[in-house]
Amino acid sequence: MKPVLLVIAHGSRDPRHASTVHALVRRVRSLRPDVRVETGFLDFNIPSVQGMLESLAAEGVRDVVALPLLLTRAFHAKADIPAVLRDAPPQLRIRQAEVLGPSPLLLSALERRLYEAGLTPADKSSTGVVLASAGSTDPEAIAVIADIAREWRHTGWYAVRPAFASAALPRTEDAVRELRALGCARVAVAPYVLAPGFLPDRIARGAAQADVLAEVLGPAPEVARVLLRRYDAASQARVLLPVSA
């Protein structure tokens, strides 16, 4: 039996968040019907991660890959999720997969969203892009976003600037102004977030003076493929979390 893939999402009071997570999970299931895929939320939504782990254990499931639905390895991936998994039923053998980012597939998904919003490949050389993420107090996560922006710039965009909706600077609106000052023919904002909610809405407000605002990554096929790559890598790992029996 293949390990169950447990997708761990943050959760939100905004119903669009859970709806988007479920849409992404449906796409993952469609790509790999041989893998059982379940969802658990850290907060606000049900089922909770703990509740789903208990349910799986009660069914007799033994092996689980817990996959953080996160783009950077910040506090939730380093502390919250491991803490929840350590409290799982002892009969479960749990491997924690890596977070989704960074990945070339996610850059492809970002470009997909920009093209869906009206840009074309011919626009790249004259367009400045704001890579707008939720933000974090973790320096490692902030550095990763800056690295992604530099890497993305080398694919042909006029310029790419990182921005953050919380906890770090610059804000989206400041990055938009900076790109205008550089002389970009147009400015586009690419939200580097997985689902709608409070911080993505802040990104959208900050994009008011941009020419193009892309949708969140959501259930893009590239995102689903990254999930499955992380699942496969974790399934083959020998190291188990200390919750195993």
Side-chain angles (χ1 to χ4, degrees):
M1 293 288 291
K2 293 181 181 294
V4 172
L5 169 54
L6 176 58
V7 176
I8 300 179
H10 183 275
S12 172
R13 293 186 178 90
D14 189 324
R16 296 173 299 167
H17 175 89
S19 177
T20 302
V21 170
H22 291 313
L24 175 58
V25 168
R26 286 194 297 271
R27 186 179 287 275
V28 171
R29 288 178 179 141
S30 72
L31 292 174
R32 289 286 291 277
D34 60 319
V35 175
R36 178 177 175 182
V37 187
E38 300 292 351
T39 309
F41 294 91
L42 290 172
D43 207 352
F44 301 116
N45 303 105
I46 55 173
S48 68
V49 177
Q50 186 66 29
M52 180 53 67
L53 290 169
E54 291 172 357
S55 176
L56 291 171
E59 289 181 36
V61 170
R62 290 285 288 168
D63 291 292
V64 175
V65 169
L67 193 153
L69 197 59
L70 300 168
L71 293 171
T72 58
R73 194 171 175 275
F75 180 78
H76 292 304
K78 294 178 179 178
D80 282 356
I81 292 175
V84 172
L85 297 179
R86 281 193 293 271
D87 289 335
Q91 63 266 41
L92 292 176
R93 294 187 294 250
I94 302 177
R95 294 170 172 85
Q96 182 176 330
E98 291 295 327
V99 298
L100 302 184
S103 168
L105 282 171
L106 294 178
L107 286 181
S108 297
L110 287 167
E111 294 210 359
R112 169 195 289 274
R113 293 303 189 219
L114 286 171
Y115 297 151
E116 290 170 349
L119 293 180
T120 71
D123 295 323
K124 291 184 74 168
S125 62
S126 58
T127 299
V129 178
V130 178
L131 179 67
S133 76
S136 173
T137 57
D138 190 310
E140 178 187 349
I142 297 302
V144 166
I145 300 300
D147 287 345
I148 293 170
R150 283 191 290 270
E151 179 183 346
W152 203 15
R153 161 68 180 83
H154 294 316
T155 67
W157 297 101
Y158 185 89
V160 180
R161 294 290 186 272
F164 307 94
S166 67
L169 297 173
R171 294 287 185 258
T172 302
E173 54 269 33
D174 298 325
V176 169
R177 282 192 289 268
E178 180 184 350
L179 290 172
R180 289 278 186 221
L182 280 177
C184 300
R186 65 192 63 78
V187 175
V189 174
Y192 190 57
V193 292
L194 288 166
F198 176 76
L199 293 178
D201 284 348
R202 181 179 288 177
I203 290 171
R205 291 193 296 272
Q209 301 305 313
D211 302 293
V212 173
L213 171 63
E215 293 292 329
V216 299
L217 293 172
E222 297 89 348
V223 178
R225 288 165 58 197
V226 175
L227 258 75
L228 289 169
R229 288 188 179 185
R230 300 291 184 258
Y231 166 80
D232 288 337
S235 297
Q236 296 163 12
R238 294 186 177 183
V239 177
L240 299 172
L241 292 173
V243 296
S244 58

